[in-house]
Amino acid sequence: MPEDATTLHVRRAKAGDRESLEWLVKRFTPLLIANARYRLARPLWSLYDPEDVVNDVWLVALPRLPDLPPREGRHTPVFLKFLSTTLLYRVNDLVAKHIRGKPGRAAAPAWDAGTDLRDPVDALPAPTTEAVRRLVRQEAREAVAAAIDELEEGDRSLVILRGIEG
């Protein structure tokens, strides 16, 4: 059976391939943003930006990527489950802080400057800051979010729970 693209890129990213790591981040960020928007109640959007929540997810997920084992030779289900579970924990933590009256702050990871330990985000190739590319990426995110928002509640839940959380 041929290997799916996500499994291939997870396998390569685990081996240190930066282009595959970038592919994974670009491919799954719009889905994670849609999931974060779904999970965060609209009133919380003024306190917690769904994109910031997704950035927090990547900060947790990227260092753990090498530890994710394949299931039946495939990395896709394990990778998606890990991303969605990490997102769910982050959203639940923010909601709990909000309920307790303590607005959340995104804590920066404690990277030890005295060691070779690097922030995994630094390993990503520098994004092109060209205005056109930024606009295209933003439009793609907005199109995915708008399409999901237009769905009826039951269909939206189905897409989020099945398509994103597996």
Side-chain angles (χ1 to χ4, degrees), residues 49-158:
D49 183 355
E51 289 186 29
D52 290 342
V53 173
V54 170
N55 289 337
D56 291 345
V57 169
W58 285 119
L59 287 174
V60 171
L62 293 178
R64 297 280 314 276
L65 185 62
D67 302 329
L68 297 179
R71 182 173 49 192
E72 297 175 6
R74 296 184 62 227
H75 286 280
T76 302
V78 176
F79 182 65
L80 287 174
K81 181 71 172 173
F82 182 72
L83 288 176
S84 63
T85 301
T86 303
L87 179 100
L88 190 58
Y89 280 127
R90 181 64 181 137
V91 168
N92 287 342
D93 182 51
L94 292 173
V95 169
K97 286 179 182 179
H98 181 72
I99 289 171
R100 287 192 309 256
K102 299 177 184 174
R105 291 186 201 116
W111 302 108
D112 186 354
T115 68
D116 289 338
L117 184 62
R118 291 182 39 198
D119 184 343
V121 175
D122 290 341
L124 294 174
T128 304
T129 57
E130 184 179 317
V132 173
R133 288 185 58 110
R134 284 194 316 245
L135 180 62
V136 168
R137 285 193 305 263
Q138 182 63 30
E139 286 176 354
R141 283 192 296 262
E142 289 173 1
V144 169
I148 290 174
D149 285 346
E150 288 178 12
L151 295 172
E152 293 180 16
E153 182 61 31
D155 292 336
R156 183 174 34 254
S157 295
L158 180 68

